[in-house]
Amino acid sequence: EAGVTQFPSHSVIEKGQTVTLRCDPISGHDNLYWYRRVMGKEIKFLLHFVKESKQDESGMPNNRFLAERTGGTYSTLKVQPAELEDSGVYFCASSRRLAGQETQYFGPGTRLLVL
Amino acid sequence: AQSVTQLGSHVSVSEGALVLLRCNYSSSVPPYLFWYVQYPNQGLQLLLKYTSAATLVKGINGFEAEFKKSETSFHLTKPSAHMSDAAEYFCAVSKNQGGKLIFGQGTELSVKP
């Protein structure tokens, strides 16, 4: 079974540009999460999809961030326009509930550097 | 609101020595607690989780953690460190089995030969 994959692994862009991150969850996982780790800080929750619906987007920092999960499969996170403080590692995780248990499986992350 | 504090951003032990990584949590409801590990250039991997079934939780790679409600702690231990244990370790809490995880700051574990 393939794990959570993220693309690209690294991205270097200039302030003001647009970047789109992609996450492919484990097949059959309805839940998809985005997290971010800014350098030197803790990993912070951004948002949670259940299938194609946004269940919780309380962690989205501002309206420059747009997450989509059309069709309930892969998800994209777009940052437009990017600012310096958006630099960090963006993690995606997916999960499904099985026998009352649920574990989030994480991807390797996308390292974003905004110059 | 829930929060997690990991004491010590860096911990160094000798190979074969006890590993103790500290985690304290704050939660207004019975929490679900997790330890994840991140090896270089990889994603986070679940080591173990507490879901109220048993206070002593055994995980992968010889790690275990004990939930102590009176101390609001969930410290991670391993009796004998191995070089391959060098990684960053994250403690996390959530209100439910599903839903967002609240992470601590992470602890970088170094293992000296």
Side-chain angles (χ1 to χ4, degrees):
Chain A
E1 177 180 88
V4 177
T5 57
Q6 294 187 243
F7 182 83
S9 58
H10 295 77
S11 180
V12 181
I13 61 172
E14 293 189 350
K15 176 182 170 181
Q17 290 186 319
T18 297
V19 63
T20 300
L21 313 181
R22 173 171 169 144
C23 169
D24 286 79
I26 294 171
S27 178
H29 282 196
D30 289 339
N31 296 287
L32 188 149
Y33 302 83
W34 283 99
Y35 294 87
R36 176 175 74 170
R37 189 182 194 192
V38 172
M39 189 178 295
K41 303 281 190 178
E42 67 272 25
I43 300 169
K44 284 196 171 180
F45 167 81
L46 295 178
L47 88 160
H48 171 203
F49 283 101
V50 178
K51 297 185 180 178
E52 67 274 12
S53 298
K54 291 176 184 174
Q55 179 77 13
D56 181 357
E57 52 184 330
S58 61
M60 293 289 264
N62 52 60
N63 60 10
R64 295 186 293 104
F65 289 75
L66 175 63
E68 294 180 323
R69 194 183 181 195
T70 307
T73 53
Y74 71 91
S75 175
T76 58
L77 180 64
K78 183 193 291 188
V79 185
Q80 179 182 32
E83 298 289 345
L84 299 180
E85 64 264 24
D86 300 332
S87 296
V89 182
Y90 290 76
F91 292 103
C92 175
S94 72
S95 70
R96 66 172 177 173
R97 187 169 286 264
L98 195 62
Q101 299 286 314
E102 187 173 334
T103 296
Q104 293 185 30
Y105 295 89
F106 283 75
T110 293
R111 282 148 185 79
L112 174 64
L113 179 60
V114 183
L115 301 176
Chain B
Q2 295 182 307
S3 65
V4 175
T5 301
Q6 291 183 240
L7 296 176
S9 58
H10 290 88
V11 170
S12 181
V13 300
S14 297
E15 192 173 20
L18 171 72
V19 176
L20 170 60
L21 304 182
R22 299 177 188 274
C23 172
N24 288 86
Y25 69 91
S26 171
S27 179
S28 57
V29 298
Y32 292 89
L33 293 158
F34 307 81
W35 275 100
Y36 280 86
V37 60
Q38 185 182 21
Y39 298 104
N41 300 316
Q42 295 185 29
L44 279 72
Q45 179 183 358
L46 182 69
L47 273 177
L48 50 81
K49 63 180 180 181
Y50 167 75
T51 57
S52 77
T55 56
L56 182 62
V57 183
K58 294 188 183 299
I60 61 171
N61 302 338
F63 285 92
E64 62 182 35
E66 186 172 7
F67 172 69
K68 291 187 177 181
K69 185 177 178 180
S70 60
E71 299 177 7
T72 59
S73 69
F74 191 57
H75 302 331
L76 182 71
T77 60
K78 181 174 181 177
S80 177
H82 192 273
M83 297 296 290
S84 61
D85 294 327
E88 190 162 19
Y89 292 78
F90 297 91
C91 182
V93 65
S94 71
K95 282 185 190 176
N96 309 301
Q97 271 275 18
K100 66 182 178 185
L101 295 172
I102 308 296
F103 284 90
Q105 303 92 322
T107 298
E108 186 85 40
L109 175 67
S110 301
V111 182
K112 299 175 291 187

